Amino acid sequence: MLLLLGAGLAAANAKPFVSDVTLPGTGSERASALMTEKFPENRDMAMIAQAQVVVEAPPGTTLDEPENIFRVDSLIHSLRGLDGVAGPESIVNPLTTPTPGAQVNPDRTIAYFDVVYDKKFVDIDTESLSAFEAAIDQARATGLTVEAAGTLLNGQPPQQGASELLGFAVALVTMVVAFASVVAATLPIITALFGVAISIASITGATLLFELDSSALMTASMLGIAVAIDYSLFIVSRYRQELAATDDRGHAVGRATGTAGSAVVFAGLTVVIALAALSVVRIPMLTTMGLAAAVAVFVAVAAAISLLPALLGLFGRKVFALTVPRLHRGDEPDSIPSVGKRWAQVVAARPVPALVIAVLVLAVVALPVTNLQLGMNMTSGEQKKAVELIGQGFGEGVTGPLMVVVDGSGAQDPGASYNQIADTIGAMPNARTVTPPVLNADGTGALITVIPTGGPSSTETHDLLDEIRAIETSLAAESGTEIGVAGQTAVMADLSEALLQSLVPYLALVVVLAFLLLVLVFRSLLVPLTATLGFLLSVSATFGATVAIFQQGRFGLIADPGPIISILPVFLIGMVFGLAMDYQVFLVTRMREEYVHGPSTRQGARQAVIVGFQHGARVVTSAAIIMISVFAAFMLSPETMAKAMGFALAAAVFFDAVVVRMVVIPAAMVLLGEKAWYLPRWLDRLLPNIDIEGARLAHANPSQENEQRAELVSTGSGLRRVSVPTAAAGGRHRLLRRDRET
């Protein structure tokens, strides 16, 4: 509660999030530095709050009709009167006042104009934004279609709430079914609420020290909710099983935290490592997203092993109160057949067909990944409507111009060189419009705006960018100038290229990391190998499904399919890796626990798979349903990245938890038998024993200590075992052995 209070105070004074993408070492970054040098007045232009307002005439009319001109004039009058607008008189009606450039389309149905503020968009307060939106809404009420886009709208925190509430609601229903108790179902929710609130408030408060991208909050919220609920779910489930062996609730909490809690710590560690490893891609935006999500996972783990045991102590014997009739409690003896046990027996009876069918299904779903196209159209929400309207009236290229900056300080005739460069670019097939060069104060630099024929993410625009960069060297040699291509379109193109190049190396890093971590956990070579191959199947199927729906537009689920956001694949690999290892740890550690305590034979290994699956399937299935629901709920968000990320993660959890962990892994382990747990002796001696399953707690089995005052005397061995009462042993049972002679 103290942590939440401190984080809340920081969040209350936080600065707005930003949507700024930088990419060190690329052509666009060098061009931006050149622009800052030659046009210092434009240094902060990217940070200035501005909006591009687009108006469309009512159907069947044009903007030149007197009534529509009056409506636009009224809108401009309202915008001029807003506090903080820089140069109100510069906002003019393009229908009646000549403007530089075509700001009215040929059909005279769509027009646009700019509104510029005298402060940075990160300093725009809620009142200023509300006043701007009120002016827009007032114009809409007159019959005009009015939309806006720009940095003015970028500095506002992303809207949160609806997706999170829906995720929590589904999680509550799922856990009521899993525990057959309303009270037990609410404990993971309470723990998750604290954890998510602390992490989100902390990340929001961090804007006081750093400039954070708005996507950082979205990813932290999305992943934090899912893992916070799931980690608490695992511990509460194990706690209920421990209560079947002892009436000492404190002892049961300790064993649950020492077993399931240890697995939670390790599972959370794998997620944190995978997310933090995103920094190796060397893209600031991706690093911020990864570290923010890692903070959320770290807080979720901390809450699960500290706050949750405290809540179990507070609720005492009422933890499993308010039971729901006709629902299985989930702690029934192994002798009672459950759905999980029956499913495991079916898979174990026919492992080859189960394995082949599952792999074929995942392979078919993964086929569209061969057509993967990456883009970085980050426009989302209400701004997307404005961009689409401008593209409809003036061509998509207007929404993504290329800014060519020229350094002519070394040219003999700078003016002629600038015109030569503009003419050369204008002759390129994918250049629609090239503006005359705009010179700086001393004439040593020029800025040329190039309007492509295609949109910012189109192949035509990327080809045009490559063509301009291809002539940089030759132009420099001919005219003695240095040129670069800056602007958001160039930055996004460079970002897509960098992410595509880093995709395979990062995937290889994650695969190697997964294998090494699982060798450490399971003390086996084949189990980690099957788990890693299963992870690759999950990732491939997830990419295939995402490409099919979001890029190819199959099933009509997306109104405007297009290239997959470049940042999604790399980030998805990190998150899916963490989630896949979670399910592997929680499901297979119980199988290993059963195998270690049973016969080391093929039949013993098969039985360990069935019993371990029986104990782990219910909680893993519940966790998967919760995660799928939480992630899928983010598809309700207006943010393009949130939609794609929510779907991809929901699909990844389904493929990994339902298909891979419930079919592929059990079938493979049954086929491998006792060989699945083989580990060379030399490697066994080298590896540290981290005891994820809590095997060291086996000697403290509370079932051997139920009778506090029982005194057992062995007449044959000469050993006497005495159980000391709880009060005399400091709240713990103690087993004493004394030799008769001693």
Side-chain angles (χ1 to χ4, degrees), residues 77-86 88 115 117 128 130-133 135:
H77 178 75
S78 299
L79 294 173
R80 285 176 176 176
L82 297 178
D83 292 336
V85 172
V115 179
Y117 283 71
S128 297
S130 298
F132 175 82
E133 292 176 340

Side-chain angles (χ1 to χ4, degrees), residues 10-26:
N13 298 285
K15 294 181 180 180
F17 286 84
V18 301
S19 296
D20 184 31
V21 180
T22 58
L23 201 58
T26 60

Side-chain angles (χ1 to χ4, degrees), residues 455-472:
S457 298
S458 67
T459 304
E460 294 82 3
T461 300
H462 287 194
D463 291 343
L464 177 60
L465 177 62
D466 293 338
E467 286 183 74
I468 296 174
R469 287 175 171 171
I471 65 172
E472 287 182 5

